[in-house]
């Protein structure tokens, strides 16, 4: 674990894996530090932001206690996202995995995922837990516009696009669920640590 100061009121924690990111995030969340403003996990880092003028010593003390191999358990939400599995890359994913399209749907919808971090676009959550046969590379030629609600896979992640953006992930289907709404108290549906299941829409 390496720490880097980011101005006077933030620290960037650098670790080696997504599981270690989860351990750092969970420990700080569980510590409930009074002056903690925001935790921003990413693939290999956690940005810790505190109220201006706050002594960062309590943050460092918590970090000294983090067991990177065994993350602290924290409360998390269970979220269900209905999906119409009719994506343009479903056949490609099945062929690459050596499965039928129905088996791809069963694998993807039969797995519980966890939101590792959010980024790329507001409300875009990177979900881990993707079954090994579905861990496939991005498309050779990214699309200039991926429709909002598209449910996709790339590498070790699965995700749902909250709005139309360019993207190179393989599209399995689509959801009508609103993933980001700035009018809500919590605009993003997904947050790090949430448990997510995709369900076959009726």
């Amino acid at each position: 674990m390496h720490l880097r100061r980011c101005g006077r009121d933030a620290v960037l924690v650098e670790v080696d894996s997504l599981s270690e990111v989860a351990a750092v995030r969970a420990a700080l969340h569980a510590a409930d530090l009074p002056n903690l403003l925001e935790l921003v996990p990413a693939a290999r880092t956690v940005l810790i932001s505190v109220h201006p003028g706050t002594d960062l010593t309590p943050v460092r003390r918590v970090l000294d206690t983090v067991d990177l191999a065994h993350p602290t358990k924290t409360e998390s939400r269970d979220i269900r996202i209905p999906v119409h599995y009719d994506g343009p890359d479903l056949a490609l994913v099945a062929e690459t995995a050596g499965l039928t399209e129905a088996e791809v749907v069963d694998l993807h919808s039969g797995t519980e995922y966890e939101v590792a971090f959010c980024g790329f676009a507001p409300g875009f959550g990177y979900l881990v837990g993707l079954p090994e046969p579905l861990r496939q590379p991005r498309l050779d030629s990214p699309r200039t516009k991926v429709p909002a609600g598209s449910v996709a896979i790339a590498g070790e992640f699965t995700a749902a696009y909250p709005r139309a953006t360019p993207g190179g992930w393989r599209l399995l289907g689509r959801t009508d669920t609103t993933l980001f709404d700035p009018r809500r108290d919590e605009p993003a549906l997904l947050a790090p640590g949430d448990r997510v299941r995709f369900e076959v829409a009726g």
Side-chain angles (χ1 to χ4, degrees), residues 69-152:
H70 302 92
T72 302
K73 296 296 183 183
T74 59
E75 291 186 10
S76 60
R77 301 176 301 165
D78 290 305
I79 296 174
R80 301 290 185 266
I81 299 178
V83 178
H84 301 277
Y85 283 95
D86 55 2
D89 300 320
L90 181 58
L92 172 63
V93 170
E95 180 182 0
T96 304
L99 302 170
T100 66
E101 293 183 19
E103 288 171 332
V104 169
V105 172
D106 287 345
L107 262 183
H108 189 262
S109 62
T111 301
E112 182 177 83
Y113 303 95
E114 181 177 342
V115 181
F117 58 96
C118 297
F120 174 61
F124 190 102
Y126 288 77
L127 280 60
V128 294
L130 191 66
E132 190 66 38
L134 303 184
R135 297 185 182 187
Q136 301 183 12
R138 288 169 170 79
L139 298 173
D140 293 335
S141 299
R143 293 179 170 91
T144 57
K145 185 177 182 180
V146 175
S150 294
V151 175

Side-chain angles (χ1 to χ4, degrees), residues 12 19-20 38 44-45 47 50 52 56 62 88 109 119 132 136 149 152 170 185-186 189 194 199:
L12 185 70
S19 64
E20 293 184 357
E38 191 173 19
R44 297 291 183 272
T45 61
L47 180 67
V50 298
L56 288 167
V62 172
S109 62
E132 190 66 38
Q136 301 183 12
R170 300 186 179 203
D185 290 341
E186 294 291 337
L189 175 66
D194 288 345
E199 299 177 335

